[in-house]
Amino acid sequence: MHGVAWQKRTRSLATELFQLAAAAEQPVLPLRRDGLARCFLASLLEDYANQQLRHETPDEAASVWEQQTLAQICDYISLQLATPLRSDDLALHFGLSRHRLNELFRNLVGQSASDYIREQRLTTAREQIETQGLPVKVAAHNVGYRHVSNFTNAYRQYFGVTPGQSQSSAIQQ
């Protein structure tokens, strides 16, 4: 037997339910409490069902909200490649802890957030160099590298060739 990872909505409903329990009796309060209890139970069952569908433990489980947030983070990253992107800043911006952000990336994407950002930067730069014919310096700047030497080292390490070699290959084809 293992616990259920409560999602944000379930936690919110539980908090509201316990606050109502401490409230002064009013004529409509029992009806409201009953409705909240039913919503809480439905939300808890949904959390459990989602967790079982993914065959994950509570620590590994990613809620639908977290999956949507991860998709939004990935979209944000692709639009902000030219700017400095740090895991701490992304986590803060999207309401996650840095640990949970990296955990989501590892579980759902298969790599850390910083590795994902690096991959997006380098593959975007490669596309700009090979298909759009942009100069290496411009492509490097477009994806957030301020020093071409740093970009060249990262590119070589990731792709096994220099950006100049990719550019030459694209021109020859």
Side-chain angles (χ1 to χ4, degrees):
M1 179 176 204
H2 59 80
V4 176
W6 287 20
Q7 302 310 317
K8 189 174 184 177
R9 175 168 166 66
T10 308
R11 288 190 302 270
S12 172
L13 287 168
T15 301
E16 193 172 345
L17 192 58
F18 286 115
Q19 287 172 346
L20 272 182
E25 278 300 316
Q26 299 171 358
V28 77
L29 193 60
L31 186 59
R32 186 158 184 235
R33 193 179 304 133
D34 183 54
L36 269 173
R38 289 172 191 251
C39 288
F40 169 74
L41 181 59
S43 185
L44 187 61
L45 289 172
E46 185 178 301
D47 292 347
Y48 177 76
N50 286 338
Q51 188 173 307
Q52 293 304 307
L53 285 174
R54 289 187 304 270
H55 305 291
E56 295 172 331
T57 65
D59 291 338
E60 296 170 336
S63 69
V64 173
W65 175 82
E66 287 175 319
Q67 292 171 16
Q68 291 170 346
T69 301
L70 184 64
Q72 291 172 350
I73 293 169
C74 291
D75 290 343
Y76 179 83
I77 289 169
S78 68
L79 294 173
Q80 300 294 324
L81 289 176
T83 63
L85 294 167
R86 294 181 41 234
S87 297
D88 291 341
D89 297 335
L90 288 173
L92 182 64
H93 183 77
F94 286 94
L96 298 168
S97 69
R98 184 178 52 84
H99 175 76
R100 186 60 179 158
L101 175 80
N102 280 311
E103 193 174 63
L104 287 173
F105 266 95
R106 281 191 194 93
N107 290 340
L108 301 177
V109 179
Q111 61 194 59
S112 69
S114 59
D115 288 343
Y116 177 82
I117 293 167
R118 184 179 307 107
E119 178 182 281
Q120 294 304 304
R121 284 188 163 138
L122 293 172
T123 55
T124 300
R126 184 179 202 178
E127 181 181 314
Q128 291 177 357
I129 290 167
E130 292 180 352
T131 62
Q132 298 174 17
L134 290 180
V136 172
K137 185 176 183 175
V138 173
H141 182 75
N142 286 348
V143 296
Y145 284 89
R146 301 297 171 241
H147 300 286
V148 177
S149 60
N150 292 343
F151 172 71
T152 300
N153 289 335
Y155 192 97
R156 183 185 312 117
Q157 186 177 18
Y158 191 79
F159 293 114
V161 296
T162 65
Q165 291 169 325
S166 289
Q167 194 173 42
S168 296
S169 297
I171 291 171
Q172 291 174 358
Q173 294 176 355

